Amino acid sequence: MMGVNGTNGVEVEAGQGGGKVVYGDGSWQLTVFVTDLQVERNLRVRGDLHIGGVMIKLVDSLDIAMDWSDHAIWWPNRNKWLDKTRWTLDQYNVNADTVIHFTPMHKTLRIQLPESWEQGYTRG
């Protein structure tokens, strides 16, 4: 069901879980969680925006001087990196209900080996 608010041209599409707002130009709000800063941002985007453009728009909105070169977009619900920066949100099937994370791609991994492993290890 679609309705148009005549004062600001906002179309509202009712759906499961409330509804999503689709603006007159076809744009919508995308929720991005920035893991380093523990903040959430809502970006107004369209489906034809490429992933690189999403990252640029996000970093500009954060207004924090920081090295973002190791960061990429992670889609936790799909367990997937959106690493093709020329692909659009439409190509990845990202929509207004999607929450994505902007997070470092390379993380520190700590492994604790069992004590029995050390006993069986011989240098040779």
Side-chain angles (χ1 to χ4, degrees):
M1 181 166 126
M2 296 284 276
V4 176
N5 177 337
T7 58
N8 60 10
V10 175
E11 300 175 5
V12 179
E13 181 179 320
Q16 297 172 340
K20 67 179 181 180
V21 176
V22 179
Y23 298 96
D25 62 355
S27 64
W28 38 271
Q29 295 290 325
L30 174 65
T31 304
V32 183
F33 180 71
V34 183
T35 59
D36 286 3
L37 306 176
Q38 295 293 299
V39 297
E40 196 171 87
R41 286 283 191 266
N42 289 311
L43 303 176
R44 188 168 168 175
V45 298
R46 289 184 359 177
D48 61 355
L49 181 64
H50 55 86
I51 296 300
V54 172
M55 291 191 287
I56 290 169
K57 193 174 243 199
L58 175 64
V59 169
D60 286 348
S61 79
L62 293 171
D63 198 28
I64 295 175
M66 190 173 153
D67 180 9
W68 298 105
S69 62
D70 189 45
H71 287 65
I73 295 178
W74 172 252
W75 191 350
N77 288 352
R78 298 257 174 111
N79 201 24
K80 180 178 188 173
W81 287 106
L82 306 186
D83 56 356
K84 294 178 175 71
T85 56
R86 292 184 179 183
W87 276 31
T88 65
L89 294 170
D90 284 344
Q91 287 174 300
Y92 275 116
N93 294 317
V94 172
N95 57 44
D97 299 331
T98 305
V99 176
I100 56 177
H101 291 192
F102 188 60
T103 187
M105 292 181 290
H106 303 96
K107 301 185 185 328
T108 302
L109 178 64
R110 295 178 189 218
I111 299 174
Q112 184 173 352
L113 298 172
E115 291 180 24
S116 60
W117 182 83
E118 291 177 13
Q119 295 169 355
Y121 177 76
T122 57
R123 293 184 184 181

